[in-house]
Amino acid sequence: MTTEPSKKTEQADVRANLICAAYTCFTASDYDKVSIRQISELAGVNMAMIRYYFGSKLGLFEAMVSEHIQPIHRRAKALQQSHDKPTLADIMGEFYQTMIPNPEFPRFLFQLMNSEHSVEAKGVIFKLFEPIAELTPMPHKLLEGWGELDPQMLKMSLLSLMIFPFVMPIPMAKLHGYQLNEEFYQQLAKHNIALLENGICGGKR
């Protein structure tokens, strides 16, 4: 006889497998081209399980994206609560630590949002990102008190340092001698933090 805890564990496993399969499928192809049959076969479960746990393909897509966005939200929120005023290095370090385990996720978002299709999926992305826009990549108070620097331009500079390495086309990276792996991202995070703290000339002209 199956116990209640065992049922809960089994349900959690099925749900997790579906999210994992969805991530593989959605990051490899356009949202509109991915079918629930393809996802369910990869997860090794019946298609009905997608409707049971998520209601639809779009519901599964939203759960999958949310699964990857929530760590960003939690870390950014914790950073705000632990500092009166987080530094640029704090924000940079937290972002890289969150993204390094899933470096293909930003590239997936970039490709999706630049697609002419997948309207439903884009709507989900906007819905999930809007509440954390003030936390990611940095809060407004971090942009205050920068003298003559334009806060919006400062934000764009930081976005460029943080996001471009993860959406840079792999062939372009290879052309410039970069191998986009965990070691590279770790090294780049330290470099960019040092760059922000010391300036490109290390305070010397």
Side-chain angles (χ1 to χ4, degrees):
M1 182 175 180
T2 305
T3 63
E4 191 64 27
S6 297
K7 286 183 180 179
K8 289 183 178 180
T9 300
E10 182 179 343
Q11 290 175 345
D13 288 344
V14 170
R15 189 179 186 280
N17 287 342
L18 282 169
I19 288 177
C20 183
Y23 184 77
T24 299
C25 293
F26 287 129
T27 54
S29 182
D30 291 339
Y31 170 85
D32 293 337
K33 294 180 180 179
V34 176
S35 68
I36 58 174
R37 180 182 297 277
Q38 179 184 356
I39 297 171
S40 61
E41 287 180 353
L42 185 60
V45 301
N46 190 286
M47 285 191 298
M49 292 295 97
I50 292 179
R51 300 193 185 280
Y52 177 77
Y53 287 106
F54 307 101
S56 63
K57 182 178 83 168
L58 187 64
L60 174 54
F61 177 82
E62 181 171 343
M64 181 273 291
V65 174
S66 181
E67 188 99 348
H68 289 80
I69 288 178
Q70 285 309 308
I72 302 173
H73 190 197
R74 286 195 298 268
R75 293 178 76 108
K77 199 166 186 178
L79 184 62
Q80 277 196 324
Q81 293 172 347
S82 62
H83 291 263
D84 291 333
K85 186 174 182 179
T87 66
L88 292 175
D90 290 331
I91 298 296
M92 179 75 70
E94 286 296 311
F95 181 82
Y96 271 84
Q97 287 304 312
T98 305
M99 285 295 101
I100 284 174
N102 298 288
E104 68 281 357
F105 185 66
R107 185 175 290 110
F108 150 71
L109 290 178
F110 180 80
Q111 292 172 343
L112 173 66
M113 299 310 289
N114 276 283
S115 169
E116 296 180 357
H117 311 290
S118 309
V119 176
E120 285 186 331
K122 289 179 186 178
V124 167
I125 299 300
F126 279 116
K127 183 178 79 171
L128 293 177
F129 268 95
E130 190 173 4
I132 61 175
E134 296 303 309
L135 296 172
T136 308
M138 55 183 163
H140 275 309
K141 65 181 180 181
L142 185 62
L143 298 175
E144 298 171 353
W146 281 85
E148 297 179 359
L149 292 179
D150 184 324
Q152 283 300 100
M153 293 299 102
L154 176 63
K155 185 175 183 178
M156 179 57 72
S157 296
L158 193 56
L159 280 168
S160 300
L161 287 172
M162 292 164 62
I163 297 176
F164 179 74
F166 292 97
V167 300
M168 184 181 189
I170 293 176
M172 182 185 292
K174 290 182 178 178
L175 180 66
H176 289 280
Y178 302 123
Q179 187 174 355
L180 303 181
N181 52 28
E182 182 174 346
E183 181 182 357
F184 167 78
Y185 289 123
Q186 293 279 9
Q187 184 179 357
L188 184 62
K190 293 178 182 178
H191 166 79
N192 282 339
I193 289 171
L195 183 67
L196 290 170
E197 290 178 337
N198 304 309
I200 196 168
C201 297
K204 301 177 181 178
R205 292 185 181 272

